[in-house]
Structures are given as structure tokens and as C-alpha cells.
Amino acid sequence: MVRRPCCEKEGMKKGAWSAEEDEILINYVQIHGEGKWRSVAHNAGLKRCAKSCRLRWLNYLRPNIKRGDITKDEEELIIRLHRLLGNRWALIAGRLPGRTDNQIKNYWNTVLAKKCGSLSSQSCTSKPSREAETSHFRSRGSMNGSDQVDADQPSLASMRGIPIPPQNEQHCLADKSTGLMNSSSSIGSQGLFSSLLAGDDRDEDHLSFLMNIDTDEDFSSRLFPDSTIVNEDNSSDIFGGLEKNNVVSSSPSVDTSHDQVARVDTEVMYDQQPSLHVELKKLALFLDLEDD
DNA sequence: AAGAAATGCAACCGCATAGTT
DNA sequence: AAACTATGCGGTTGCATTTCT
């Protein structure tokens, strides 16, 4: 298959976006909704490629983007999720409402990589190759093909760092997790832990387990039994629908009216920092169980 | 005060893959 | 089934800003 360039280079503007361009893009998306980025670029009269428009929207212009410093809770969560997921920034971002994958990726590459390097014997260094990976991140511009080997295999390479319980403790672990491993989720305790233990391609099962948190109502209600937040579609997730607009679940065909409702919800939720705090704590707690 | 070095972050690039024709 | 398109993702780069000497 011959690959065409992602966007026509001629006449396309590159570099920082101006306020005018931002305004045009915001107005267009507000009227027509997200998605169809090629037509956005074309119809809105922006001299930007579709990718550029999408990126600008997702990483900067979306109304529910949370700017400002990463909180302690968020930081802890990022570290834990990174241990579980590796460099799956979009997945990690999906668990941090209002944060973009780019934000988290940047934060990791700058702040956390450094921290983890200095705390070599602590939590974030369960990964044997952490030091090497950290220095890899820090060595800007020195990247070459061979350096990239580990970074190119996030799922397998990083999964190797997951603390793995001894075989005979598996069932205890499942029990400790408030029975959640016995949930009706398609991935039961056996599947999850065997995939963790195997360290082979079945890692994907383990990842889908995490992804299923979003959609498996039964699972999440077990995980957070006292959570009262329920999505419009009646399925609760960890952040109670905060991610309606977020990376993981975003869909080009999302109904814009729903979108706006979700946006309002989101803005309200962000004002309720305590409840967000509680949810973050809950997820951290869950991750603690996994650590044990 | 000025130049160098380090840092932070927005944006770009290429690849993968789901969806469509 | 194959070809093609659109979108999403992770890695990388460029540049503005900040800190250090």
C-alpha cells in the first residue's frame, strides 16, 4: 500500500497557533462538533492540516482541559498507572480527567523521569530498566535507532516492571480486591493474573481489563461501591463520566448536544475538587491493592 | 548584566489501525 | 478481499522561558 503524506504540505501553515486561528477552530467545532478533521481544516478556512487541527483542539482548545500544575494525587496516579500501562499515555490520560496524553507525557519526561531516577529504590522504580529508560528520556536529541528499542515496545518492556505476586498468592489478591476479580467482567482473576504472570502477548488482556473499567458497570460498581455518580448511559466509571469528552472514549460521531451536556457536567465536576480528590484516592487505593 | 545551559511545553512526524469504498 | 482514508497514538523536535555561572 502506498502511503500518502498525512496532509498536503504546500500552503499549510506550521508552528504555533495564533489567537485568530484558535478562535476559528473553536467556533467551527462548536457549530459542527468534533471529528471530520479534514473537513474542519478545509471548511473553516484554516491553513492547517487535519492532524494539526485535531491536536490543537485535543491538547489545548477543548473546554474541559485542565491546565496548571499536576497535583500530588495526580502525580502519584501517573506513576502507578505508568507502572501498569507503560508509555500508554492516552490510557493514562483517560484516568486523569482534564489531562491530555501530551501533558502527561511531557510531565513524565520532564518531572517524573527525573524524580524516579533519584528515587531509584522506591515505588516508581519497580521497573528493572527504569534508570536506563530515564536517562533515555533525558537525553534529548541523542535518540537513534538502537536507543529506541525499549521505547518502541512499551507494552512488553514496561510490563516487565509490574510487581508480580507469587503464584500461591493470586487468589488472596483477588479476594483482597473486594471481590472485584470475581466480577462478571469478561476478564476474570485467572485471566488477569495469568496474563500478568505470563508476560507474553496476553498483556493485552490485562490492559483491556483496565480499559474495561470504563464500560463494565458491574466492575466499577464493585470497585467503588459508594460511588453515586452515574453516566448518562447509566454505566458508571471511575470518574463518573468526567471522561465523556476525553481521549479514550472520544468519537467523531459523538452527538454534540450530549457533548455539551458532558462539558457542563465536567466543568461542574472540576469545581468539586474534593470529590475528584476522593475518586483519585480510590483509584490509588485500587492500585495499592495491585501493588500488594 | 550577559551568555550558556537547562527546562517545559506545544507542535510535528511517522506508524498503526479502524472504518469505508 | 483489497485499496484507500481518517483518526489516534507515541516518540521526537523546536523554541521560548527560566535558571545558573
Side-chain angles (χ1 to χ4, degrees):
Chain A
M1 191 194 308
V2 179
R3 194 183 173 78
R4 288 177 41 182
C6 71
C7 53
E8 41 281 88
K9 306 283 178 193
E10 305 83 31
M12 285 296 165
K13 200 175 163 191
K14 285 172 72 174
W17 281 62
S18 67
E20 291 76 27
E21 289 176 306
D22 282 348
E23 205 178 324
I24 292 171
L25 184 56
I26 289 169
N27 287 338
Y28 190 93
V29 173
Q30 275 174 352
I31 294 166
H32 298 95
E34 287 182 54
K36 310 285 178 201
W37 295 110
R38 192 158 284 233
S39 64
V40 171
H42 183 257
N43 296 338
L46 287 165
K47 289 191 182 332
R48 296 278 182 173
C49 74
K51 271 181 153 180
S52 187
C53 292
R54 175 183 162 270
L55 210 65
R56 182 64 179 172
W57 176 257
L58 291 179
N59 286 340
Y60 202 83
L61 299 176
R62 266 190 310 164
N64 56 340
I65 296 284
K66 196 171 159 188
R67 313 211 70 82
D69 294 343
I70 302 275
T71 66
K72 265 263 173 260
D73 287 335
E74 287 173 319
E75 180 182 307
E76 200 166 308
L77 205 52
I78 291 169
I79 292 168
R80 291 166 182 281
L81 286 167
H82 186 268
R83 265 162 65 195
L84 279 171
L85 301 168
N87 296 357
R88 306 270 179 106
W89 306 117
L91 262 181
I92 295 172
R95 310 255 66 78
L96 286 153
R99 300 294 186 187
T100 69
D101 54 348
N102 214 26
Q103 270 181 307
I104 290 168
K105 182 170 58 181
N106 282 335
Y107 189 71
W108 180 270
N109 288 347
T110 56
V111 181
L112 293 182
K114 191 166 47 186
K115 274 191 186 178
C116 288
S118 65
L119 301 169
S120 55
S121 62
Q122 293 179 19
S123 61
C124 50
T125 56
S126 65
K127 210 170 156 181
S129 59
R130 171 64 64 209
E131 300 276 345
E133 188 175 280
T134 299
S135 62
H136 152 75
F137 275 128
R138 298 304 316 160
S139 61
R140 289 166 57 148
S142 66
M143 180 77 67
N144 60 34
S146 57
D147 287 344
Q148 248 179 309
V149 169
D150 274 350
D152 280 345
Q153 299 172 344
S155 56
L156 294 179
S158 12
M159 285 308 153
R160 273 182 231 121
I162 296 170
I164 295 172
Q167 202 103 29
N168 61 358
E169 284 176 24
Q170 288 174 56
H171 66 280
C172 304
L173 229 171
D175 288 342
K176 273 170 71 179
S177 305
T178 60
L180 61 90
M181 296 311 170
N182 295 323
S183 80
S184 61
S185 167
S186 59
I187 299 162
S189 56
Q190 282 303 86
L192 170 63
F193 286 111
S194 61
S195 72
L196 280 171
L197 287 162
D200 60 15
D201 287 342
R202 280 175 295 172
D203 284 336
E204 293 305 323
D205 289 346
H206 157 240
L207 294 179
S208 62
F209 152 77
L210 268 172
M211 289 183 268
N212 284 348
I213 292 173
D214 267 342
T215 52
D216 186 337
E217 181 183 356
D218 187 45
F219 174 89
S220 36
S221 62
R222 283 164 193 264
L223 188 53
F224 306 122
D226 57 334
S227 172
T228 55
I229 306 161
V230 174
N231 287 345
E232 292 159 300
D233 60 6
N234 241 5
S235 69
S236 58
D237 77 24
I238 287 176
F239 297 105
L242 280 174
E243 298 164 279
K244 270 290 178 197
N245 253 357
N246 222 328
V247 187
V248 168
S249 58
S250 70
S251 154
S253 59
V254 166
D255 180 342
T256 49
S257 60
H258 278 215
D259 223 16
Q260 277 162 0
V261 170
R263 236 171 256 154
V264 172
D265 285 350
T266 302
E267 280 153 17
V268 170
M269 289 303 292
Y270 288 154
D271 291 338
Q272 299 172 345
Q273 282 303 311
S275 72
L276 173 59
H277 180 84
V278 168
E279 297 300 333
L280 286 168
K281 284 286 182 199
K282 283 176 180 174
L283 185 53
L285 210 83
F286 165 62
L287 290 168
D288 271 340
L289 290 175
E290 287 229 320
D291 284 352
D292 294 341

